Amino acid sequence: MPARSRSAEDHVIVIFGGRGDLARRKLLPALFHLHHEGLLPKRFRIVGVARTETSDEEFRDFAREAVEEFDRRPADSDWQAFAERLSYLSHDVAPGDAQPLTDAVKRAEAELADEGAGSVRRLFYLAVPPAVFGRLTLALGEADLVERSRVVYEKPFGMDRPSFCELDEVVRSVLAAPQIYTIDHFLGKETLQNVLALRFANGMFEPVWNRAHIDHVQIDVPEQLGVGSRAGFYEQTGALRDMVVTHLFQVLSVIALEPPASLEPKPLTDEKVKVFEAMAPLRGEHVVRGQYEGYASAEGVSEGSDTETFLAARVEVDNWRWAGVPFYLRTGKRLAASRQTVTLAFREPPRRMFGGELIADRQPNDYLTLDLGRGELAVSFLAKRPGPGMDVEPAQMRYSYSEAANGKLVDAYERLLHDALIGDRTLFTRADGIERTWELVQDLIDRPPPLGAYEQGSWGPERAADLIAPRRWYLPERDGRPAS
Ligand code: BG6
C-alpha cells in the first residue's frame, strides 16, 4: 500500500450481502489485510447484513474461513482483535423496514464512543445485485443514516440505460455526489494504474501510443472458472454486464485516454469519459456471444437460458489518436486459461531485408503486453538469432511489478476499500461515464446477436477467431507454455 498522507477516521462499515460470494472472496479478506497493515481506522466496527439467519459467532467463523481461504496470509494473532469488531444483522432491509439497521449502526457507534471516538463515519458497501441498490439507498435515506456516510455500489450500476437513469435519480435524491462510490475493481489493479506512469512519466512509450504506430489493441480476460454458486446473479448479467461494459471498458478507457492535466479525480475521470464519448456503439456484427456447454443445466440457471458466458467484440474509438485502430475485447468463463491481459500490437515495418517467412507472415511481431493479473509488463520483439547469418527470432523483455514490490502487490479491493475509507474517489467510476457505457451497448441488449455453444476448456466459439482475423488472439507464454 503506498504511503498515504490521510488516515481513515473512525468508522462503522456495513456490508450488505455480508454472507455473499463477494464478501467471502474479497471484502472480508481485504478488510482483514488492511487491519493487519494498520490501515483500518483506529476505531472501527464491521456489520455484515443479509437475509440469511446467522449469529455473530457464525459470521465470525464465516469471516475466518474466508480469510483463511482467500487472504495471502493466515488469520493469525491479529485475528482476535479483528473478529471482536465483527457483528451480523439478519434482516431484509427495505424502505419502511430499516429500524433494525439503524439500531445496529447506532449500537456500533455507541461502542466506538465508549472507546473514545468522536464523530464516527459510516461506510455502506452494497455487495448485492443491482436490482436492490435503489431499495437499499431509499432505506438508508429513511433510516436517517445518510449523514457522515459514504456508499459503495458494486458493479454493474444498473442493467441497461433506462434502469441506470432510474437508479441514478434515486441515488442522487438521497446522497450528495461526494458520497457516491461506484466501484469497478479493475481500476484498483496496480498494473492498470501503472499504465499512467508508463505512458506519462516516460518519453519512450507515449510518442508511439497512437494510430500512427499501433496496429490494434487486445483486452483479453479469459477465465477458467465457471459461474459456480453465482448463477442467480450471473443469469441477470451475463458476460456483457458482468465483465465487458464494466471491467473491460474501464481498462480500455485507461489505455486510450489523453494525458490528463493532473491525476486528480476530476481531470482523470474527464479523460476516461471522453474515451467513452468517442467510442462507437457496439454493433451486432462485431460481437460474438457464446455459452459453455453444460451451463444451461447448472443449478440456478433457467431452462433454455440465453445468457452469454463468453463475449468477444471489436470496438472503435473514433478520435484523432485511435481512429482506424480496432480494439478487440474478449472474456468468458470456462475457457482454456485465466489471464487479464492488454496487448498493444505495433504496425509491421517493411521487413524485406530479412526475407522469406517474415514477409509472408503479416502478423505484427512486436507487442507491448500488460498482464494485469500478474503485474507484469512485457515487450515482445524480433532480435537477431545468435550465431552466423542474419536470421531474426522472437525475443522478450519483461518487468515484474510484483517482483519490484517483493510480491506485495496491493490487492484491488484493499486499495479501493482504503480509498473509500479516506474519501478518495479517484479510482471510482462516475455517473456520466457509466451512462455512456450503457448507451454503447444498448443496441446489443435490445437485439442480442445469436449465441454459439462452446466446449468447456476451449477458446470459445470459433467465430471469435473470425472476428479478429487476419489477426489472431495473442496471449504471451506463461511458465514456458503458450496460452493461445
Ligand atoms: C468480478 C466478476 O467483478 O470480477 C467475476 O463478477 C470475475 O465474474 C471477477 O470472475 C474477476 O476479478 P478478479 O478478482 O479475477 O480480478
Side-chain angles (χ1 to χ4, degrees):
M1 182 74 58
R4 293 246 150 197
S5 48
R6 273 181 284 171
S7 58
E9 294 164 82
D10 297 333
H11 257 88
V12 174
I13 301 167
V14 176
I15 306 176
F16 292 105
R19 286 291 314 254
D21 189 69
L22 186 69
R24 189 172 74 90
R25 280 172 181 275
K26 304 284 187 180
L27 304 179
L28 291 165
L31 286 166
F32 176 64
H33 203 85
L34 287 172
H35 168 69
H36 173 78
E37 298 284 320
L39 289 164
L40 281 189
K42 188 165 171 222
R43 302 178 191 85
F44 70 92
R45 287 291 182 278
I46 296 171
V47 185
V49 181
R51 280 178 300 186
T52 321
E53 285 290 335
T54 300
S55 67
D56 288 346
E57 219 33 65
E58 283 164 341
F59 182 57
R60 288 179 193 131
D61 291 345
F62 170 79
R64 183 173 187 130
E65 279 160 26
V67 165
E68 276 169 358
E69 189 174 352
F70 295 105
D71 196 14
R72 292 160 285 169
R73 48 190 311 285
D76 52 17
S77 51
D78 294 327
W79 175 253
Q80 204 42 39
F82 181 76
E84 281 165 8
R85 290 165 171 78
L86 297 181
S87 63
Y88 185 80
L89 168 70
S90 26
H91 188 65
D92 188 7
V93 178
D97 193 6
Q99 193 57 43
L101 176 68
T102 313
D103 295 345
V105 171
K106 296 265 156 85
R107 202 162 40 242
E109 286 176 351
E111 286 173 18
L112 295 180
D114 287 347
E115 289 173 19
S119 168
V120 174
R121 281 204 163 270
R122 299 154 177 167
L123 183 74
F124 295 99
Y125 198 116
L126 273 59
V128 290
V132 282
F133 287 172
R135 186 158 66 99
L136 285 177
T137 310
L138 289 172
L140 291 178
E142 277 187 25
D144 206 16
L145 289 171
V146 167
E147 207 191 330
R148 295 178 274 117
S149 289
R150 300 184 183 117
V151 183
V152 183
Y153 294 89
E154 254 303 326
K155 50 113 280 248
F157 191 81
M159 294 294 285
D160 53 16
R161 186 161 184 272
S163 62
F164 161 82
C165 293
E166 218 173 285
L167 175 60
D168 186 48
E169 208 179 308
V170 169
V171 167
R172 281 188 297 112
S173 71
V174 175
L175 302 167
Q179 296 180 291
I180 304 169
Y181 287 68
T182 41
I183 198 168
D184 188 301
H185 81 274
F186 272 48
L187 290 176
K189 289 184 187 272
E190 182 118 40
T191 316
L192 191 61
Q193 293 157 44
N194 267 312
V195 170
L196 299 176
L198 187 74
R199 290 183 57 188
F200 305 130
N202 298 295
M204 193 179 358
F205 299 105
E206 193 53 20
V208 295
W209 206 271
N210 56 51
R211 61 201 291 250
H213 300 280
I214 302 292
D215 175 76
H216 72 279
V217 179
Q218 297 184 19
I219 300 175
D220 202 2
V221 186
E223 296 184 289
Q224 284 172 304
L225 55 84
V227 170
S229 60
R230 300 167 71 220
F233 166 80
Y234 201 82
E235 270 289 277
Q236 295 167 34
T237 61
L240 176 67
R241 296 180 178 93
D242 184 43
M243 297 294 288
V244 178
V245 73
T246 46
H247 299 326
L248 273 61
F249 276 17
Q250 292 298 332
V251 170
L252 188 156
S253 73
V254 176
I255 299 296
L257 54 70
E258 295 298 319
S262 80
L263 297 177
E264 291 300 309
K266 183 172 182 316
L268 185 59
T269 310
D270 284 349
E271 294 307 331
K272 287 190 215 156
V273 174
K274 283 187 209 161
V275 173
F276 297 137
E277 279 163 1
M279 275 167 72
L282 268 67
R283 302 218 309 263
E285 64 269 32
H286 288 164
V287 171
V288 176
R289 290 170 77 236
Q291 189 184 78
Y292 64 77
E293 287 166 359
Y295 172 80
S297 52
E299 205 187 320
V301 175
S302 46
E303 215 187 307
S305 164
D306 186 53
T307 303
E308 75 284 340
T309 57
F310 174 98
L311 196 138
R314 175 193 164 122
V315 176
E316 316 273 341
V317 182
D318 195 14
N319 61 16
W320 274 84
R321 185 185 287 264
W322 295 114
V325 178
F327 284 69
Y328 295 103
L329 315 184
R330 175 173 75 167
T331 186
K333 304 283 186 211
R334 287 261 187 261
L335 294 180
S338 293
R339 298 287 180 83
Q340 300 185 338
T341 307
V342 179
T343 302
L344 288 94
F346 291 94
R347 285 191 186 284
E348 60 185 287
R351 298 202 198 91
R352 176 163 294 276
M353 67 181 83
F354 298 103
E357 275 172 37
L358 276 175
I359 301 179
D361 181 6
R362 308 300 294 171
Q363 296 297 328
N365 277 281
D366 34 345
Y367 297 93
L368 183 75
T369 312
L370 299 154
D371 185 329
L372 304 181
R374 269 206 170 180
E376 262 183 23
L377 165 70
V379 182
S380 307
F381 56 98
L382 292 174
K384 181 187 171 301
R385 183 173 297 145
M390 192 53 208
D391 294 331
V392 289
E393 64 181 5
Q396 209 174 55
M397 288 192 292
R398 280 172 193 272
Y399 170 71
S400 163
Y401 291 124
S402 35
E403 272 169 32
N406 272 332
K408 279 193 174 169
L409 268 196
V410 179
D411 170 78
Y413 273 99
E414 282 169 32
R415 169 68 198 258
L416 294 172
L417 274 165
H418 184 256
D419 284 358
L421 288 167
I422 62 171
D424 183 344
R425 292 167 74 227
T426 314
L427 298 177
F428 289 79
T429 59
R430 202 172 65 192
D432 52 348
I434 305 176
E435 178 171 8
R436 175 63 184 156
T437 55
W438 284 123
E439 250 169 41
L440 293 170
V441 297
Q442 191 59 48
D443 193 47
L444 284 189
I445 292 174
D446 295 340
R447 276 179 291 279
L451 198 63
Y454 65 94
E455 214 180 301
Q456 297 194 23
S458 71
W459 284 104
E462 273 168 23
R463 285 189 305 118
D466 303 338
L467 179 81
I468 197 170
R471 301 167 178 109
R472 45 175 188 254
W473 294 103
Y474 170 83
L475 281 173
E477 283 189 2
R478 181 180 281 180
D479 308 326
R481 281 179 294 116
S484 67

